[in-house]
Amino acid sequence: MTHSLVPSPVAPSRLPLGRVVATERKPNTPHEFHFWTAIDAPIGIGTIVRVEGTTPVESTIPQVYGVVMEGFSYSDLQSPLHDVLGYDGQPAGGVVVPTDRTEIRLYTAQVLRHLPEEPLQPVPLGRVYLAEDHDVAMALRMDGYIAGSAATGIPVGVYRAGGMKSPIFLDADFLVGPEAAHLNISGVSGLATKTSAIEWLLQSTFAHFPSHRGTVAAVCFNVKGPDLCFLDQPGTLEESDRDMYELLGVPPTPFQQVRYFAPYTARGYALNTLRSNEALADTVTPLTWGLSEVLQFAEVLLNKDDVDAKADALIDFIRERVVGKEFDEAGFSRTHRVHSFADLDAWFREVLRKLEDSNGDTWRTHHAATIRKVRNRLSNLSTRCAGLVTDDGLASDLPFGSFEDRVVYVVDVANVEEDAQNLVFARVVSKLREHLERRDLGVDHVIVFVDELNKYAPHDGPETYVRKMLLDIAERGRYLGLVLFGAEQFRSQVHRRVVGNAGTTLYGRMDADELATPGYQVLSPAVKARLATLDKGQLMVRHPHFTQPVFIRFPRPAVMTGREGVERFPQAPEPTAAQAVTRDLRRLDPSIELGWVQQTILLYDEPVVLAARNAVMRTRPDAVKSAFVRELQRRAVPTARDAEAVVHRPRAIRPFSADEYGG
């Protein structure tokens, strides 16, 4: 942005709404003041006001900005009994009173900013005005980052009071880094607030993130239903939403560039996503990993009983000396080249056979029991994460190293097992961190959106790999440009170090039980009551530049909701193997027909067919038909493993010692 977003100061055209009052029992302080207003004044909890002093301090009339945090109503009655008697005990009584009862409104406000800021003095007695656009910008210190050629303001919503609508901006340096980073949003489920707010804020960030701060992309994990499955489809907006988009300078359009990734189902025919409709299926890329991609994160899937120090040492040996290398040893029948789980199992069988032949208990200091245990655990990984982890070693991954500016990468893991979800979280975030450390990811900043932090980073419970990873992002990610946008229903149940490191916090409607937890003690009873009754599209915002929380409204995101998406694009039924192969290959060659595929795969086993399909989809050759046939034939040739399985190998006979029977 090169233009200033600071509203110009305007001549005070409005009359004062109230006056500051200080009593012996309720004095004003530098941080809090009280004022009274007329009954019809447009003041409420969360309203921003401006106080003008009357006595100059160092030749300057002091001005104080504050936000209303509590309100009281008073009359001249000393007891409710007087009012009851005045109406003869009849609330609807027709008693004509000679004068109206005196009533005043008294408000308590927390100070947002003093001008001048030094010396810091108690709030002076003076007139109280409703804050206008320029006052709101000054009160929230937005004037420091939304003006000039180096502006870093990102619209988050609209502050409304007294018929005015003032845009509220967050500082990109405190949202994406490096000054602070991370965002957390809490709220009850079912009000379409948390996910909608994140989608809207990502749209705003992509529209306003300053180019002089680098490039930015987003990686969103879809962990429930179809929430994030239709970000590239236009949603339904009302006129009030379009007005806010225009006021905030954000185009009311869906995301222009979205990349979808999803693993296969356990059968391997179709991708495991609700975005499987024929009209959208071409836009989803398979997410599959082989042995080399998974072995580094084996501890995500193995518990402490599985991986003790001995097993960990053997896994390290396999990772460093076996996988991806040629491994040969005296006594082995052949040189092993381990690139897949199938190759690894053949290597394990060779090691165990050598142990049996030698009648020993250890191989390279690793005990036979440990070898059998690690073989069992690693061999089961592809079964436990079927559809994500493949036996044949082929991988289809996110484009690490070629991420693009202002592109959303959605990883759909909503329908996969929890173990597979944890593996996806761990590997994707670890790879993002590795590439950001080397500065070769393709973008300078990555926003990672994780929903349901209650589940993945709980306050208590066992220490998991995923929680350690989220803690690491929250505490050290901003130095790398790795930013966490997290959402949860109960903030009090998320690890304190995750929510505590969030520079910006958003609150939707909160449950009363949640508001009673210690984390909300800093809020006044009136603010808690308002939080418990917030409507859709309303948020309370806390940001490093705002000394007090501010209530705003945000427009609904200009993308199709998950519910609308599954109604308009219903999920496709599970296809047969031939239909799945036809559909996938047709993306590369539209001339491929179902009949040709049925004839071609007739004599091959299903795993061979799916492996050949995966290989073609990964290499994307020009001659798709011939490449597919070639892959089928190559995989149908008996492998060394198959040959080994049918070759009879005489077992060594243990020689008896002379005194075997004591004779």
Side-chain angles (χ1 to χ4, degrees):
M1 291 181 299
T2 57
H3 62 286
S4 172
L5 297 173
V6 180
S8 302
V10 296
S13 57
R14 296 179 179 240
L15 296 174
L17 299 178
R19 298 190 66 89
V20 175
V21 60
T23 66
E24 188 174 353
R25 297 183 61 182
K26 284 191 174 183
N28 295 329
T29 72
H31 314 293
E32 182 181 271
F33 63 95
H34 314 279
F35 64 96
W36 62 267
T37 70
I39 295 177
D40 59 349
I43 299 290
I45 303 301
T47 302
I48 297 176
V49 296
R50 172 172 54 88
V51 176
E52 282 191 3
T54 55
T55 304
V57 177
E58 295 182 345
S59 305
T60 303
I61 296 294
Q63 294 193 10
V64 179
Y65 299 98
V67 57
V68 176
M69 290 295 178
E70 191 58 276
F72 308 91
S73 175
Y74 288 100
S75 70
D76 58 351
L77 286 173
Q78 294 183 349
S79 166
L81 180 62
H82 297 161
D83 201 52
V84 176
L85 294 176
Y87 285 92
D88 289 338
Q90 301 297 323
V95 178
V96 178
V97 294
T99 58
D100 292 333
R101 181 73 67 188
T102 302
E103 180 182 357
I104 68 164
R105 297 287 167 82
L106 182 68
Y107 294 97
T108 299
Q110 300 289 328
V111 173
L112 290 168
R113 190 177 187 180
H114 287 265
L115 286 179
E117 298 189 357
E118 296 291 342
L120 185 61
Q121 296 181 340
V123 177
L125 301 180
R127 295 177 174 178
V128 177
Y129 297 85
L130 188 66
E132 299 184 353
D133 285 355
H134 179 264
D135 297 323
V136 173
M138 298 298 291
L140 300 180
R141 291 178 166 80
M142 296 190 299
D143 57 307
Y145 57 88
I146 62 175
S149 59
T152 55
I154 294 178
V156 66
V158 175
Y159 161 82
R160 299 199 304 193
M164 295 186 305
K165 298 178 181 178
S166 301
I168 303 297
F169 296 85
L170 304 178
D171 188 350
D173 287 346
F174 286 79
L175 180 65
V176 183
E179 301 297 340
H182 314 307
L183 177 140
N184 183 268
I185 180 170
S186 305
V188 299
S189 297
L191 284 182
T193 297
K194 300 191 293 294
T195 304
S196 297
I198 292 293
E199 291 171 349
W200 147 250
L201 196 54
L202 285 178
Q203 286 183 286
S204 179
T205 302
F206 282 9
H208 285 266
F209 190 75
S211 58
H212 57 83
R213 288 292 191 269
T215 53
V216 60
V219 174
C220 301
F221 293 98
N222 184 51
V223 297
K224 58 179 182 180
D227 278 0
L228 304 175
C229 288
F230 305 98
L231 297 183
D232 56 346
Q233 300 298 317
T236 303
L237 296 178
E238 297 180 355
E239 197 59 35
S240 58
D241 297 316
R242 295 186 181 278
D243 291 343
M244 278 194 275
Y245 273 95
E246 183 177 0
L247 177 64
L248 299 174
V250 178
T253 57
F255 290 98
Q256 299 302 305
Q257 298 186 75
V258 186
R259 309 277 190 271
Y260 284 93
F261 298 86
Y264 282 106
T265 61
R267 297 183 64 183
Y269 292 169
L271 294 178
N272 199 356
T273 175
L274 292 177
R275 190 185 167 92
S276 60
N277 188 276
E278 193 70 26
L280 303 176
D282 292 348
T283 59
V284 184
T285 302
L287 182 68
T288 58
W289 295 330
L291 173 65
S292 58
E293 288 79 19
V294 173
L295 190 60
Q296 182 182 356
F297 304 94
E299 63 179 290
V300 177
L301 303 174
L302 305 178
N303 57 40
K304 292 183 178 178
D305 294 334
D306 296 325
V307 185
D308 52 15
K310 300 173 185 175
D312 193 45
L314 178 57
I315 292 175
D316 285 342
F317 176 84
I318 295 171
R319 186 185 301 137
E320 299 297 329
R321 303 283 299 278
V322 178
V323 175
K325 299 180 174 62
E326 291 190 356
F327 190 91
D328 195 8
E329 185 172 284
F332 276 24
S333 62
R334 61 184 175 89
T335 300
H336 286 264
R337 298 177 181 82
V338 177
H339 296 286
S340 66
F341 279 98
D343 297 336
L344 182 63
D345 191 61
W347 179 85
F348 267 120
R349 282 188 283 110
E350 189 88 271
V351 172
L352 293 173
R353 184 189 58 77
K354 183 179 179 181
L355 268 176
E356 292 177 359
D357 291 348
S358 63
N359 198 30
D361 293 330
T362 60
W363 177 80
R364 294 199 179 197
T365 72
H366 301 292
H367 195 273
T370 302
I371 295 173
R372 290 191 174 92
K373 178 180 179 180
V374 171
R375 177 196 180 190
N376 176 273
R377 303 300 189 272
L378 293 182
S379 299
N380 285 335
L381 293 183
S382 59
T383 304
R384 293 169 60 185
C385 301
L388 173 66
V389 179
T390 61
D391 276 326
D392 57 11
L394 296 179
S396 174
D397 213 345
L398 271 72
F400 298 110
S402 57
F403 269 45
E404 299 177 38
D405 188 22
R406 288 164 172 79
V407 174
V408 182
Y409 300 87
V410 178
V411 183
D412 190 356
V413 290
N415 297 326
V416 303
E417 298 294 329
E418 186 173 346
D419 284 346
Q421 283 189 353
N422 292 339
L423 178 61
V424 170
F425 280 130
R427 185 170 186 278
V428 170
V429 174
S430 297
K431 294 295 290 183
L432 289 174
R433 174 173 181 145
E434 290 175 11
H435 284 274
L436 283 171
E437 285 178 344
R438 298 198 298 263
R439 315 306 297 175
D440 63 354
L441 182 62
V443 294
D444 302 308
H445 307 274
V446 175
I447 297 171
V448 177
F449 172 47
V450 180
D451 200 355
E452 304 293 339
L453 281 183
N454 297 110
K455 175 181 177 182
Y456 299 108
H459 178 63
D460 50 14
E463 185 74 15
T464 64
Y465 194 93
V466 174
R467 187 167 76 170
K468 288 192 292 185
M469 176 200 65
L470 291 173
L471 283 170
D472 187 65
I473 297 177
E475 294 176 338
R476 287 173 285 276
R478 67 188 178 96
Y479 298 107
L480 304 172
L482 190 58
V483 183
L484 176 65
F485 280 16
E488 72 282 327
Q489 184 174 356
F490 303 113
R491 177 182 170 89
S492 62
Q493 296 181 9
V494 180
H495 200 291
R496 293 182 61 184
R497 285 158 56 193
V498 173
V499 295
N501 278 287
T504 302
T505 306
L506 308 179
Y507 301 85
R509 181 187 293 186
M510 306 297 295
D511 184 80
D513 292 340
E514 173 69 7
L515 289 170
T517 57
Y520 299 88
Q521 288 181 346
V522 296
L523 303 178
S524 70
V527 172
K528 290 182 183 179
R530 183 167 181 186
L531 272 178
T533 57
L534 286 182
D535 201 357
K536 286 183 179 180
Q538 288 185 304
L539 291 172
M540 188 179 81
V541 183
R542 302 180 76 173
H543 187 61
H545 286 292
F546 308 163
T547 55
Q548 298 294 333
V550 179
F551 290 93
I552 65 163
R553 284 184 177 272
F554 69 94
R556 68 185 65 192
V559 301
M560 188 176 290
T561 64
R563 181 176 301 177
E564 292 174 342
V566 295
E567 291 176 356
R568 182 173 177 183
F569 301 102
Q571 189 175 13
E574 178 82 5
T576 64
Q579 290 172 336
V581 171
T582 304
R583 186 186 61 190
D584 291 338
L585 296 185
R586 196 174 284 168
R587 299 178 193 173
L588 307 179
D589 184 355
S591 67
I592 290 179
E593 298 177 349
L594 178 61
W596 178 84
V597 173
Q598 289 173 329
Q599 290 294 326
T600 305
I601 67 174
L602 188 60
L603 301 179
Y604 296 95
D605 294 334
E606 184 176 298
V608 173
V609 173
L610 297 179
R613 176 202 61 179
N614 295 342
V616 172
M617 295 302 296
R618 183 176 62 88
T619 55
R620 308 179 73 85
D622 293 332
V624 178
K625 287 185 177 179
S626 58
F628 181 62
V629 172
R630 189 166 55 250
E631 288 291 338
L632 286 174
Q633 295 172 345
R634 184 175 69 83
R635 293 168 189 280
V637 175
T639 63
R641 176 189 173 189
D642 300 326
E644 181 186 349
V646 298
V647 172
H648 172 68
R649 298 184 60 86
R651 297 187 58 181
I653 299 176
R654 182 183 179 186
F656 293 124
S657 61
D659 58 347
E660 185 74 19
Y661 296 103

